[in-house]
Amino acid sequence: MNPILSVRDLTIRFGGVVALDAFSMDIPEGSIFGLIGPNGAGKTTCFNCISGLYRPTRGSVRFGGTELTRLPRHGVARLGLSRTFQNVALYPSLPVRENVMVGAHARLPVSMLGAALRSPAVRAAEEEIAHSADAALAALRLSAYADRGVAELPVGIQHRVEIARALVTRPKLLLLDEPAAGLTAGEVDELREVLLRLHEEMKLTMVVVEHNMRFVMKTCSDLAVLSFGRKLAQGSPEDIANDAAVIDAYLGGVL
Ligand SMILES: Nc1ncnc2c1ncn2[C@@H]1O[C@H](COP(=O)(O)OP(=O)(O)OP(=O)(O)O)[C@@H](O)[C@H]1O
């Protein structure tokens, strides 16, 4: 299968810490790819390099033939790559629908003056955004929460609002950073069901960083394992669960 994203020799240092050390991986188009590893292994740093938040010291990230490491962050998003963050990063005082619409406003193809004067083009674009936001909320089974304030909702719902916000730009590739963190077992099952349906219906490729191994093993088609910034293993969930080096890195505990 063709890779939609290719990471090659990605290296980044923070002072004396080598957070990623010549890390490479290929994400097959249409996969749900899990990036796992112990705390501090470099998983979020990898997402930050892919999404343009960090500039790597060395290496390349190619997405659909474009080199991402030289693009500004908004340029990466415009190519069709979207992400969520490890800690829920929503506007707590805004309702759910407005939080989701924020995801699309950054892509409004209108001038500052047009926006200030609320030109017909701006109004048409805003209607389009509201429509996309409602579609994303429906896809995440959040329509009933659209007018509720984010701060009053359980963390499981807040995670799904973040995913809806990332989806509103209609990405080809979605990076999810610990989407199951802080969720109850029931919420994790519901999240899994929602993601599998999105994957099926929207043909969306996803890369998931996650510590919840039950979720990872049941949801991902392929896995790569990072440890101290280096790739320890890559393969199917079954291969990874039986890999001696991986079991060792996790002290034999969680797999
Ligand atoms: N901005 C930064 N400045 C300095 N060090 C950093 C920075 N970002 C990451 N690091 C360091 O890089 C290493 C990898 O961190 P990273 O957050 O990528 O790990 P992780 O695998 O996502 O961990 P976790 O599972 O705990 O979230 C750690 O040693 C971390 O302290």
Side-chain angles (χ1 to χ4, degrees):
M1 202 179 272
N2 280 338
I4 187 170
L5 185 91
S6 286
V7 172
R8 283 286 167 280
D9 286 328
L10 205 59
T11 302
I12 183 165
R13 292 192 189 89
F14 299 105
V17 175
V18 185
L20 286 173
D21 189 1
F23 176 63
S24 299
M25 66 175 176
D26 283 325
I27 309 295
E29 187 157 14
S31 61
I32 302 183
F33 192 98
L35 181 58
I36 63 171
N39 289 117
K43 306 178 294 295
T44 296
T45 300
C46 182
F47 270 14
N48 288 342
C49 290
I50 294 170
S51 58
L53 219 55
Y54 290 169
R55 291 269 167 251
T57 312
R58 190 159 50 78
S60 83
V61 179
R62 292 191 78 79
F63 176 56
T66 305
E67 177 59 47
L68 298 187
T69 53
R70 290 181 214 109
L71 287 182
R73 203 175 152 193
H74 62 269
V76 175
R78 284 208 179 105
L79 285 174
L81 194 152
S82 202
R83 72 171 288 184
T84 65
F85 290 86
Q86 195 167 338
N87 299 310
V88 173
L90 297 168
Y91 296 97
S93 59
L94 290 181
V96 166
R97 183 185 282 107
E98 269 75 356
N99 265 285
V100 173
M101 287 172 70
V102 166
H105 269 107
R107 302 184 73 191
L108 264 182
V110 293
S111 67
M112 293 279 279
L113 184 64
L117 297 175
R118 294 195 43 75
S119 65
V122 168
R123 269 178 278 145
E126 284 192 347
E127 263 172 45
E128 163 71 17
I129 287 174
H131 180 74
S132 303
D134 284 337
L137 287 172
L140 272 295
R141 294 189 190 156
L142 291 168
S143 304
Y145 300 95
D147 299 316
R148 299 268 298 274
V150 156
E152 65 184 83
L153 298 173
V155 69
I157 301 293
Q158 292 184 1
H159 272 290
R160 269 164 45 203
V161 175
E162 269 214 302
I163 297 172
R165 182 170 65 183
L167 274 188
V168 82
T169 56
R170 300 195 191 100
K172 296 181 207 123
L173 178 65
L174 180 61
L175 309 181
L176 298 167
D177 199 348
E178 298 199 28
L183 305 196
T184 63
E187 287 172 335
V188 172
D189 286 343
E190 204 175 341
L191 174 73
R192 178 174 172 271
E193 210 181 290
V194 166
L195 293 181
L196 289 177
R197 201 164 37 79
L198 281 181
H199 174 250
E200 176 75 24
E201 286 172 8
M202 300 175 69
K203 307 288 171 233
L204 187 63
T205 308
M206 300 183 208
V207 186
V208 187
V209 161
E210 188 47 67
H211 284 288
N212 183 326
M213 287 304 143
R214 188 173 157 267
F215 170 85
V216 165
M217 292 295 167
K218 283 175 74 177
T219 312
C220 298
S221 46
D222 308 77
L223 295 176
V225 188
L226 260 171
S227 179
F228 295 110
R230 292 180 168 219
K231 186 158 81 179
L232 208 56
Q234 180 163 351
S236 68
E238 202 174 36
D239 293 341
I240 296 300
N242 295 310
D243 188 293
V246 175
I247 293 169
D248 208 32
Y250 277 101
L251 300 172
V254 293
L255 289 181

